[in-house]
Amino acid sequence: MTTNLRFLNPVNVDGRVSASQRIRIVTPSNGMEKLGFDGGFNKSTNAESIGVIMKTNTQLLNTKCKKIVWDVCDNYFSDRRRSQALQLLKKCHAVTTTTNKLKEVIEDECKKLKIDKKIFIIDDPVFYEFNEPSFAPKDVLKVTWYGNDGNLQYADWNKLVFGPLKERQNELPPIKFTVINRNGTMPTGVNFLNGESRNVKWTERIQRTIASKSDFIILPINPEHPFTIGKSHNKLVDGLACGTMVLASAQDSYLKFSDYAYVNDNFVDNMIECLNNPAQTLERIRLGQEYIQQKLSDINIAKQWIEVVEELSNE
């Protein structure tokens, strides 16, 4: 079967596929194929196509389509891409986005422009195959962060992580701290860490391998910053899928995982809680994986996209 959905951003499947392409384009398309539809990317468009533009590629607005959907996965209105974001918002027929917070931002921008757009929430899917939950720390505590280099600036690492670790170092094993990103950036204050730190260049495979062998994934962030308020749950979901406990700040999109991950800024307290209760830690990871399988599979997210296409096609 064919669907009118077409992701317009080209994907180099034989080269480097970005994390955002993997999450917002490739994985949903795989889900569509499992449902019996053709996948939605690297395909030609026609007058019946519902074309989806990811990020701020304004050149794609000229693509021949029945309607254009702008897929918003960051608050582009808050940074240097604001002018492109406003152009896309004005010219698209509808918007898809990842979180309620981002939806509120887009609604506010529409009011300023005195325009009306349909806005749909499309969740980020899980990408990794699930690993068996694991929590058996040894003499060294393996702690990992992964993401875009630029996102490190949106957390007060000294206040949330390195300071508390130094104050309570006698209550924890030495730390082996790994940062996985593309350009080798390390968080401010890492030199105060009691233990070893290293940077590893990001690939999808490396993130999965290291995450699955870590004791904790930590995701500190300022949830009130204009750019970060719309960040999705994908990093937290990746960690739980790898079978690893995630400790994260109270980002709006993380809150629904509070029964599975630890979602607050008490990173060291939560490490100690897990170490003192390993069976409980494993059970939280297991339940988190069940939730993700039920809500965020590629097929479930494909269905969300298909519903949007059907609604827009029938207008």
Side-chain angles (χ1 to χ4, degrees):
M1 294 185 291
T2 60
T3 175
N4 290 329
L5 177 67
R6 292 291 180 259
F7 294 104
L8 301 181
N9 300 70
V11 178
N12 181 9
V13 292
D14 296 320
R16 190 179 81 176
V17 178
S18 70
S20 55
Q21 288 177 329
R22 163 174 63 86
I23 293 167
R24 299 302 288 179
I25 298 176
V26 177
T27 303
S29 294
N30 291 341
M32 291 173 204
E33 291 176 351
K34 292 177 183 178
L35 290 168
F37 294 92
D38 59 340
F41 68 93
N42 291 355
K43 294 183 181 294
S44 60
T45 63
N46 57 44
E48 296 302 313
S49 299
I50 304 297
V52 179
I53 298 175
M54 192 180 74
K55 295 197 172 181
T56 54
N57 190 334
T58 55
Q59 293 179 344
L60 293 174
L61 284 166
N62 297 320
T63 308
K64 182 180 181 180
C65 291
K66 180 178 182 178
K67 290 183 178 178
I68 293 288
V69 175
W70 180 34
D71 186 41
V72 182
C73 54
D74 272 316
N75 185 6
Y76 307 119
F77 301 102
S78 71
D79 65 14
R80 67 186 186 282
R81 293 166 288 186
R82 178 173 175 81
S83 62
Q84 294 99 312
L86 290 173
Q87 184 180 349
L88 283 157
L89 185 59
K90 291 174 185 176
K91 293 187 176 182
C92 72
H93 297 90
V95 181
T96 51
T97 191
T98 52
T99 69
N100 286 315
K101 285 288 187 180
L102 262 181
K103 183 178 180 181
E104 291 172 5
V105 169
I106 298 163
E107 289 172 338
D108 185 57
E109 294 293 340
C110 286
K111 289 178 182 177
K112 293 176 185 176
L113 294 170
K114 298 181 180 180
I115 58 177
D116 185 34
K117 303 287 180 177
K118 284 191 173 180
I119 306 171
F120 304 90
I121 299 289
I122 302 285
D123 289 315
D124 279 350
V126 62
F127 174 75
Y128 292 133
E129 297 294 329
F130 288 92
N131 282 1
E132 189 70 21
S134 174
F135 188 73
K138 306 298 183 184
D139 295 335
V140 174
L141 205 58
K142 293 174 287 185
V143 179
T144 298
W145 180 92
Y146 43 70
N148 184 286
D149 294 67
N151 288 333
L152 287 167
Q153 68 184 296
Y154 298 119
D156 187 337
W157 283 85
N158 282 320
K159 178 181 178 181
L160 298 178
V161 180
F162 300 133
L165 281 173
K166 184 177 181 180
E167 291 173 2
R168 304 182 67 181
Q169 59 186 341
N170 293 332
E171 300 176 61
L172 291 165
I175 304 294
K176 181 178 182 180
F177 180 49
T178 301
V179 171
I180 307 172
N181 52 28
R182 290 196 186 277
N183 298 318
T185 308
M186 295 294 282
T188 301
V190 70
N191 53 303
F192 296 114
L193 181 68
N194 174 37
E196 173 189 352
S197 63
R198 62 172 179 160
N199 184 277
V200 178
K201 189 172 181 63
W202 183 91
T203 69
E204 177 273 318
R205 181 187 61 80
I206 284 174
Q207 178 181 315
R208 176 175 53 189
T209 299
I210 294 177
S212 64
K213 295 179 180 179
S214 299
D215 299 310
F216 295 107
I217 304 299
I218 60 168
L219 302 172
I221 197 167
N222 174 7
E224 302 302 324
H225 189 281
F227 185 69
T228 65
I229 58 172
K231 289 290 184 182
S232 80
H233 55 235
N234 64 286
K235 294 183 182 67
L236 187 153
V237 167
D238 281 350
L240 289 177
C242 287
T244 304
M245 175 50 70
V246 180
L247 314 178
S249 295
Q251 183 79 7
D252 183 68
S253 60
Y254 293 166
L255 295 176
K256 58 181 174 288
F257 297 94
S258 296
D259 289 338
Y260 320 120
Y262 283 84
V263 184
N264 56 62
D265 282 340
N266 302 317
F267 288 91
V268 175
D269 286 345
N270 294 332
M271 287 181 186
I272 294 171
E273 169 75 12
C274 290
L275 290 168
N276 290 337
N277 299 279
Q280 172 184 281
T281 301
L282 285 169
E283 180 66 2
R284 288 176 72 122
I285 299 169
R286 185 188 67 78
L287 292 173
Q289 289 186 342
E290 285 186 1
Y291 177 88
I292 293 166
Q293 285 177 315
Q294 292 168 4
K295 302 290 187 179
L296 302 174
S297 70
D298 54 358
I299 289 177
N300 283 334
I301 304 311
K303 289 178 179 177
Q304 292 181 12
W305 278 109
I306 290 168
E307 288 176 3
V308 170
V309 171
E310 289 177 345
E311 180 170 339
L312 295 177
S313 296
N314 292 329
E315 289 181 339

